[in-house]
Amino acid sequence: MKRRKLEKKLKKKLDRERYDHTLGVMYTAASLAMVYNIDMEQAMYAGLLHDCAKCIPDDKKLELCQKYHLAISPAEESNPFLLHAKLGAYLARKKYHVKDGEVLHAIQVHTTGEPGMNTLDKIIYIADYIEPNRDKAPDLADVRKMAFENLDQTMLKILTNTLKYLEQKGGEIDPLTVETYQYFKHGISYCK
Ligand code: DGI
Ligand code: FE
Ligand code: FE
């Protein structure tokens, strides 16, 4: 589907703030793609669709995952908002007709990350955190600058901040978030 058409379709599925965020991620991902020499269109499609399942109510997320036979981990069971990544990848394929497996994978891992994630995955994860409408995270100016200099260092910084934030507010930590943190903390060779 043409990007413009997708934008129109998504606008109806997301609230105003989420749609603005989505465009922010799309253009930030495009800028990062220019710096790191990956396909800009891929980055834009992944950015545009990364939160396509975000505005579905949590009980409906669980219901849809069951209906589509998407595995629900214990962490997702108790924090169904986490499912918007997995369900988003599924809907991107089924409802938005995205066939590019790399785009779908970047959507799938955009909330927790994953050990061994590739450049497109990292770009979407990072763009999600630094896009211009974001304003709550600590050291955002530094993270934004770092993103255009070193992706792995930026991943570690964001994961560190996220784990700290979740510990403070008592949010349940998905084991995948910790594994991703360990992967970037201890070096990329650790997992491959
Ligand atoms: O969907 P967005 O809000 O744009 O961004 P996102 O999909 O990265 O979700 C961000 C939220 O996810 C943020 O508040 C931190 C939270 N998060 C990331 N990893 C985990 C997590 N929340 C829990 N409970 N457990 C995790 O492991
Ligand atoms: Fe998200
Ligand atoms: Fe997002």
Side-chain angles (χ1 to χ4, degrees), residues 108-115 117 125 155 159 176-177 180 184:
Q108 167 116 13
V109 302
H110 88 264
T111 303
T112 57
E114 177 184 270
M117 52 204 293
Y125 184 95
M155 285 300 305
L159 283 155
L176 200 48
T177 306
T180 311
F184 286 101

Side-chain angles (χ1 to χ4, degrees), residues 55-67:
C55 293
I56 298 171
D58 279 350
D59 53 348
K60 188 94 195 282
K61 283 191 191 88
L62 282 160
E63 197 186 300
L64 288 173
C65 283
Q66 278 157 1
K67 178 175 163 194

